[in-house]
Amino acid sequence: MTSVTDDLPLAADFPKATDADWRKLVDGVLKGAPFEKLVGKTYDGLKIEPLYPRAKGMEPVTGRPAAAPWQIMQRVDHPDPLAANAQALTDLENGATGLSLVFAGGAGSHGFGLEPTADAVAKVLKDIHLDAGIGLELQVGPQSRMAAIHIAEYVKSNGIDPAACDIRFGLDPLAACAVWGNSPYSWDEIVPAVTGGIKGLAGLGFKGPFASADGRVIHDAGGSEMQELAFVLACGVAYLRAIEGAGVPLDQAQGMIYARLAADADQFLTMAKFRALRLLWARIEAACGLTPMPLFIAADTAWRMLTQRDPYVNMLRATIATFAAGLAGANAITVLPHTLALGLPDPFARRVARNTQLLLLEESNLAKVSDPAAGAGGIETLTAQLCEAAWALFQESEKAGGAFAALQQGLFQAKVAATRKAREANIARRRDVLTGASEFANLHESETAVLKATPITLAPYGEAKYKFDALAPIRLAQPFEALRDISDASLKARGKRPSVFLANLGTPADFTARATFAKSFFEAGGIQALDSEGFADPARLAAAFRASGAALACLCSSDKVYAERAEAAATALQTAGARHIYLAGRPAEAEAALRTAGVTGFVFAGCAALATLQDAYVLMEQA
C-alpha cells in the first residue's frame, strides 16, 4: 500500500536555512527601519538580540541534585503566633515542605511578622516536627535577631536533635543596614556578634547554613539583576571572611552561607540571574582555594511586581517567577501571596501561593531536568553578560572596603537609584506595562479579602551612629494606584468617579482602536471613560458631551477623520463647556491648528501617561 506521505519531501530535501536567509526576511518586514530596532536592552545595558544560535559545548550549571524538587516554602507572618501556627500546620498538611518564619522588622516583613520572643516561637512551632525533613528558614532583622536563639533553645528544650533539623537561620546584618540606612554599630563591632552566634549554633549541632546574603534588598528597591548579584557576592564574601576570621576553617565556613534572590516575571533574566550566581560564587570559592560546591539559593517571588489593583494578575506574575527560579535551580522557593500588597493574606491566597508550586512540580515536572537552559543561546549569553557585569561591580565594592564600607559610601545606593529612576520613567510612560494597574484597569473590581491583624511594634534598635542612604522597598505600581485611590475617594464622597467623555468621530471602524486605547489610558488613572456613538455633526457631539456630565473630553478617531472633523469637533466641545480636550493619537503637523481649535493635550503610546493623568486631576479641580 502506498503511504500518503510517500510523495512528501524528506527533511534532507529542504535547503538548510542560514542567518542570511533569516536576515533577508527580517529586512523585508522592517521596510528600511534599522535592525537595532529589534535589539532590546536590560536595565544593566545588556543587549538582547532577537535570535541566538545554539550555544555549543556548554555544561549544565550545577544546582539542586538531579531530579530533586525544590523546597516548597510557605510564608508564616501572622502577628498572632497561634493563628500563624494554625496556618503553618495547614500548609504542611497540604503540600508545603518548608516554612519561612517572618519576624517583625525583617527585610522581607512588609509590615507584618511574628514577635521575636521565646513565647511566640514556642507557639508558632507547636506540633511541627522539625526533625521530619521540614525546611525552616528565618527572616529576621536587627530588632528580631534573638529569634534565632529562641529557635535553637526551642529545639534543645524539646529534645530534638539539632543535626536532624533543616534550619536556615538567616543572620544578615548587612541587609538590615541597607534597608534601615543606619547602624548603631560599626562593621568591626557587628562581626564578633554575628560570628559568635554562628559558632554557638554550630556548636549546638545545627548544620546551618546560618548567614544569608540577601539580594532581595536590591531588587525590592528597584535595582537591576547585575546590582542584585554584586550585592549578594559582596555580602557573601564579607560573611565568609568574618567566619574564617573567627577561627572557623574555610572549608567549614563555606557551607555556613546561603543566598536569597528575588524571582520576577521576566522569565529569561530571572533564569540567567540564578544561573549566574552559581557560576560567580564558584569563582569566589575557587579563588579561596576551595573546591566549589553548589551554593544553596532560596528564592522569593518579587515584592516590587505586586499590585494592589487587579491582584489576581499577581498569580500569573508569581507563576512565571516560580517557573523561572525552579528551572534555574533554586533550592527553595517562597511565593508571596497575591494579596500581600493589600494586607495579611487569607486562606485562599495562601492556598494559591502553595498550589502554584505544587502544580509546577507535580503536574509540569519542572524538577525532572537539571538546568534545561544549558546550551540555549539567549540564556547562556545573558548568563555570561550578567557574570561579567556583576563581577565588575563586586570588584568595585571590594576596592571600597567591602559591603559595609560600600554602603557607607553609597556605592550600591547610587547605582540602584539610577536604575530605579529609569525604571520609574518607563512605567510612567507605560513602556513597562503593569497589567491591571498601568494598563487594562478595571474600575469595577470587587474588594479583595485580607485578614485583619495588628502588626507587631518593636522598640527602636539603638542609636543610629552610622548613617547612609536606605534601600527602601518599593512597588512599581504605586504611582498609578495613588490616582486610583483618589478616584475611589471621589466615588465614596460624591457617588461618582472623575470622568472623561470619549468624543468618537466617524464610524466604529474609524474610532474603535483609539477609543479602546483612550479608555485604558484614562482608567489606569481612575478616570472613568464614558463611551459614545460616532458623531459627524458637531452640534450633536456637543449635546452628548453636555449630557455626560464629564469634565474632560477626548477625541477618538482615525487620522483621516481627524483631518476632516477634529478642529470643528474641538471647537464644538469647547463651546459646550469642555475646558480640557485631549486627542487620542500623535498630532504631527496638525498640532498648532488643533490647539487653536481647543485641543489641550494628546495621548498616545509612549507619551508621559502618569504626568498626563496627574495633571488631569489638577485640571478637573480648576474646571
Side-chain angles (χ1 to χ4, degrees):
M1 175 181 285
T2 302
S3 168
V4 294
T5 62
D6 285 349
D7 293 331
L8 294 178
L10 299 174
D13 297 330
F14 289 103
K16 185 177 180 180
T18 65
D19 288 343
D21 295 330
W22 174 79
R23 183 61 184 267
K24 184 177 180 180
L25 293 172
V26 170
D27 289 340
V29 174
L30 288 173
K31 297 179 180 179
F35 181 78
E36 285 295 315
K37 185 177 181 180
L38 301 181
V39 179
K41 277 193 176 181
T42 73
Y43 282 98
D44 290 317
L46 309 180
K47 286 187 176 182
I48 301 178
E49 301 286 346
L51 187 69
Y52 290 89
R54 179 178 179 180
K56 297 180 180 179
M58 303 301 295
E59 295 293 328
V61 176
T62 304
R64 293 189 309 270
W70 63 81
Q71 287 182 347
I72 301 173
M73 306 299 294
Q74 188 75 324
R75 181 182 172 93
V76 179
D77 57 353
H78 200 299
D80 181 347
L82 294 178
N85 174 256
Q87 291 177 338
L89 291 173
T90 298
D91 294 327
L92 294 172
E93 290 166 359
N94 288 278
T97 57
L99 301 172
S100 182
L101 299 188
V102 180
F103 289 88
S109 59
H110 303 304
F112 294 101
L114 295 157
E115 189 174 11
T117 63
D119 179 65
V121 165
K123 287 177 179 177
V124 76
L125 292 179
K126 187 176 184 297
D127 297 328
I128 294 174
H129 303 288
L130 297 178
D131 53 355
I134 296 168
L136 191 70
E137 65 181 11
L138 312 184
Q139 296 194 42
V140 298
Q143 297 160 293
S144 52
R145 65 198 187 284
M146 286 300 295
I149 303 301
H150 297 320
I151 294 284
E153 292 172 343
Y154 175 85
V155 169
K156 182 179 178 181
S157 64
N158 282 271
I160 303 171
D161 179 8
C165 298
D166 181 9
I167 303 177
R168 299 184 292 279
F169 285 89
L171 302 177
D172 192 2
L174 288 169
C177 290
V179 174
W180 284 55
N182 62 70
S183 173
Y185 308 106
S186 69
W187 180 240
D188 289 340
E189 293 171 314
I190 291 171
V191 165
V194 174
T195 56
I198 290 173
K199 291 176 70 175
L201 292 167
L204 290 173
F206 291 99
K207 57 188 178 183
F210 306 103
S212 168
D214 193 347
R216 296 176 306 162
V217 171
I218 300 294
H219 197 277
D220 288 354
S224 70
E225 289 75 20
M226 174 268 285
Q227 294 157 6
E228 185 179 358
L229 288 170
F231 185 75
V232 169
L233 295 180
C235 293
V237 168
Y239 295 140
L240 193 63
R241 285 198 184 104
I243 297 169
E244 184 194 21
V248 178
L250 199 55
D251 58 347
Q252 293 181 26
Q254 179 183 22
M256 294 181 172
I257 299 166
Y258 73 105
R260 299 185 68 92
L261 290 176
D264 64 26
D266 191 321
Q267 176 187 332
F268 298 130
L269 265 178
T270 295
M271 292 180 70
K273 178 174 69 176
F274 276 74
R275 299 175 81 247
L277 179 57
R278 292 198 181 281
L279 297 175
L280 288 165
W281 189 252
R283 182 175 179 180
I284 286 173
E285 290 173 313
C288 293
L290 296 167
T291 300
M293 54 186 247
L295 177 69
F296 190 103
I297 302 178
D300 276 26
T301 57
W303 165 255
R304 77 183 186 202
M305 72 179 180
L306 293 182
T307 62
Q308 291 181 340
R309 302 295 176 158
D310 205 353
Y312 298 103
V313 181
N314 292 330
M315 296 180 189
L316 302 178
R317 298 183 180 104
T319 299
I320 297 171
T322 304
F323 180 91
L327 287 184
N331 298 92
I333 301 177
T334 303
V335 173
L336 301 189
H338 66 281
T339 59
L340 184 61
L342 289 164
L344 202 60
D346 68 354
F348 172 72
R350 295 181 66 83
R351 178 163 61 90
V352 170
R354 186 176 64 240
N355 287 350
T356 297
Q357 301 196 57
L358 286 169
L359 287 169
L360 292 174
L361 276 173
E362 302 298 335
E363 296 193 18
S364 299
N365 295 303
L366 293 194
K368 297 298 183 183
V369 179
S370 297
D371 193 21
I379 298 177
E380 290 285 12
T381 301
L382 275 176
T383 300
Q385 288 177 323
L386 281 175
C387 283
E388 184 177 350
W391 189 259
L393 180 55
F394 164 63
Q395 288 179 314
E396 279 190 58
S397 72
E398 287 292 282
K399 290 177 182 177
F404 190 86
L407 288 171
Q408 286 182 297
Q409 296 168 31
L411 173 64
F412 287 107
Q413 296 95 317
K415 294 182 183 299
V416 169
T419 302
R420 182 176 62 246
K421 183 178 179 180
R423 198 183 299 279
E424 289 172 343
N426 282 335
I427 288 170
R429 289 183 173 273
R430 304 200 307 171
R431 290 171 178 158
D432 290 353
V433 174
L434 297 168
T435 302
S438 65
E439 283 207 32
F440 308 114
N442 177 11
L443 296 187
H444 307 290
E445 63 181 298
S446 57
E447 188 174 350
T448 304
V450 292
L451 300 180
K452 293 182 179 179
T454 302
I456 299 295
T457 301
L458 300 177
Y461 177 63
E463 180 185 353
K465 295 181 181 178
Y466 302 89
K467 298 181 181 180
F468 33 84
D469 293 335
L471 288 168
I474 63 168
R475 284 187 308 101
L476 300 175
Q478 284 175 299
F480 284 93
E481 291 170 351
L483 297 177
R484 294 281 297 276
D485 290 342
I486 297 172
S487 175
D488 287 350
S490 176
L491 178 63
K492 185 176 181 180
R494 305 173 188 173
K496 64 177 184 178
R497 296 184 184 278
S499 58
V500 58
F501 177 75
L502 300 185
N504 299 325
L505 306 179
T507 67
D510 296 319
F511 63 73
T512 297
R514 279 179 169 154
T516 302
F517 170 84
K519 175 181 172 64
S520 177
F521 182 96
F522 285 103
E523 294 195 346
I527 301 172
Q528 186 171 6
L530 306 178
D531 210 348
S532 68
E533 60 181 274
F535 294 94
D537 180 11
R540 289 187 59 230
L541 172 64
F545 169 75
R546 281 193 294 265
S548 74
L552 308 172
C554 181
L555 293 167
C556 303
S557 196
S558 64
D559 290 343
K560 180 181 178 182
V561 173
Y562 283 156
E564 298 170 353
R565 306 178 189 174
E567 291 181 41
T571 300
L573 289 169
Q574 191 175 46
T575 303
R579 294 177 57 186
H580 309 289
I581 304 167
Y582 301 91
L583 183 141
R586 294 179 181 271
E589 65 275 3
E591 180 174 357
L594 289 168
R595 288 192 180 277
T596 300
V599 174
T600 53
F602 301 86
V603 297
F604 49 87
C607 75
L610 182 61
T612 299
L613 292 168
Q614 290 168 335
D615 290 344
Y617 278 90
V618 176
L619 295 174
M620 286 186 286
E621 289 177 1
Q622 296 172 348

